[in-house]
C-alpha cells in the first residue's frame, strides 16, 4: 500500500504565496486520489504491491500491460508531487532565497546569470500550454529548462530533475485564478535551494 507522505510544513506555511486551502486540497485530495488509484491498480496485481514507487517506475517494462498504464499515470503523478513538496519551504524560514555554491555555479555556467535563468524558467512556465510541469534538469553535462505535459517526468528521458513547478491549475487557481504568471513569479520566494542542491549532488 502506498501512502500519502506528510508535508514537511503546515498547510498555511507557504502563505501568502500559496494559500492554505490550495495546499490542503492539493495534498489531501489531489495527491491522495492518485495514490488511491495507484493502490487500486496494484490490488489487481498482488505480486507488485510491495514494489516501491521508484521500482515501479524504473522497471515499468517488466509489469503486465494492464498495470503499465496505471503506473505511467498515477505513480508518476505521485512521484512528482512527493518531491515537489520538498523543494519548497516557508518564505519566513527561507534564509537562502537565491542559490549559492554548487547549484549557483551550475546555473551561472549554463545560463550566464541567475537572473537570466530565472526569467527563462518563468517564461517557459507561463508559455506552457495546458497542464504540466516546468523543470530545471541536468542532462549530460549541462542544465536545461524544459516543460512536460500532464504527469510526465524528465526522468522518463533520462534527465535528472533539480527544480520544478506544478503548472496544473489546481496548484494555483483559488488564489491566482487565470494569472499563472503571478503564481510563477511569486513561487521563487519559496524555493528550498538546499533541497535543489541535494538533487544536484545526486549526479
Ligand atoms: Mn499538482
Amino acid at each position: 500500500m502506498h501512502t500519502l507522505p506528510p508535508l514537511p510544513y503546515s498547510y498555511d506555511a507557504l502563505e501568502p504565496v500559496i494559500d492554505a486551502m490550495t495546499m490542503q486540497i492539493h495534498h489531501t485530495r489531489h495527491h491522495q486520489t492518485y495514490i488511491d488509484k495507484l493502490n487500486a491498480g496494484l490490488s489487481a496485481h498482488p505480486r507488485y504491491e510491495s514494489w516501491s514507487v521508484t521500482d515501479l517506475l524504473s522497471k515499468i517494462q517488466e509489469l503486465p500491460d494492464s498495470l503499465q498504464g496505471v503506473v505511467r499515470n498515477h505513480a508518476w503523478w505521485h512521484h512528482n508531487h512527493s518531491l515537489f513538496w520538498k523543494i519548497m519551504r516557508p518564505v519566513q524560514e527561507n534564509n537562502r532565497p537565491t542559490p549559492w555554491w554548487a547549484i549557483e555555479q551550475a546555473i551561472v555556467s549554463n545560463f550566464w546569470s541567475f537572473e537570466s535563468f530565472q526569467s527563462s524558467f518563468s517564461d517557459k512556465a507561463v508559455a506552457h500550454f495546458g497542464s504540466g510541469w516546468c523543470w530545471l534538469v541536468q542532462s549530460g553535462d549541462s542544465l536545461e529548462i524544459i516543460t512536460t505535459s500532464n504527469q510526465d517526468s524528465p526522468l522518463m528521458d533520462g534527465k535528472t530533475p533539480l527544480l520544478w513547478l506544478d503548472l496544473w491549475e489546481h496548484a494555483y487557481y483559488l488564489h491566482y485564478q487565470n494569472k499563472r504568471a503571478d503564481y510563477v513569479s511569486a513561487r521563487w520566494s519559496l524555493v528550498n535551494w538546499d533541497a535543489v542542491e541535494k538533487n544536484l549532488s545526486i549526479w
Side-chain angles (χ1 to χ4, degrees):
M1 279 284 281
H2 296 271
T3 55
L4 185 67
L7 289 185
Y9 34 71
S10 61
Y11 289 120
D12 63 358
L14 302 186
E15 289 196 346
V17 179
I18 303 179
D19 61 283
M21 184 170 280
T22 295
M23 286 302 295
Q24 190 160 8
I25 293 173
H26 200 170
H27 186 243
T28 64
R29 298 197 212 161
H30 289 279
H31 194 168
Q32 181 70 60
T33 296
Y34 284 81
I35 292 170
D36 292 345
K37 288 178 180 175
L38 174 61
N39 285 330
L42 287 168
S43 69
H45 302 275
R47 186 179 159 193
Y48 304 100
E49 277 189 306
S50 63
W51 282 30
S52 69
V53 175
T54 311
D55 281 346
L56 289 168
L57 294 172
S58 61
K59 299 175 189 168
I60 190 167
Q61 303 302 340
E62 298 174 27
L63 303 175
D65 289 349
S66 57
L67 188 54
Q68 286 191 17
V70 170
V71 167
R72 181 180 165 82
N73 290 332
H74 306 306
W76 276 118
W77 215 94
H78 174 31
H79 189 258
N80 289 346
H81 283 82
S82 298
L83 300 173
F84 176 62
W85 309 129
K86 293 182 185 169
I87 55 167
M88 297 192 287
R89 66 179 165 197
V91 177
Q92 55 274 26
E93 290 171 23
N94 212 346
N95 55 2
R96 287 181 61 170
T98 55
W100 62 73
W101 302 115
I103 185 69
E104 186 194 24
Q105 286 175 16
I107 285 173
V108 170
S109 70
N110 281 272
F111 302 99
W112 298 102
S113 69
F114 178 67
E115 291 71 26
S116 61
F117 153 70
Q118 220 172 2
S119 65
S120 297
F121 187 102
S122 293
D123 289 350
K124 283 213 173 177
V126 172
H128 179 75
F129 183 75
S131 296
W133 299 79
C134 188
W135 312 79
L136 171 66
V137 300
Q138 187 267 338
S139 175
D141 291 333
S142 61
L143 303 189
E144 295 172 8
I145 300 165
I146 60 170
T147 61
T148 59
S149 290
N150 301 321
Q151 76 297 317
D152 286 355
S153 164
L155 287 165
M156 292 171 167
D157 297 321
K159 299 178 178 180
T160 305
L162 304 176
L163 167 67
W164 55 105
L165 182 60
D166 191 339
L167 300 177
W168 288 57
E169 285 184 342
H170 64 237
Y172 62 89
Y173 206 84
L174 287 180
H175 184 67
Y176 294 93
Q177 296 90 45
N178 60 319
K179 294 175 282 188
R180 182 192 281 182
D182 290 355
Y183 157 72
V184 169
S185 169
R187 206 293 293 255
W188 287 110
S189 63
L190 300 177
V191 174
N192 182 343
W193 288 105
D194 293 324
V196 176
E197 189 150 300
K198 279 186 192 131
N199 293 336
L200 184 73
S201 67
I202 290 170
W203 47 276

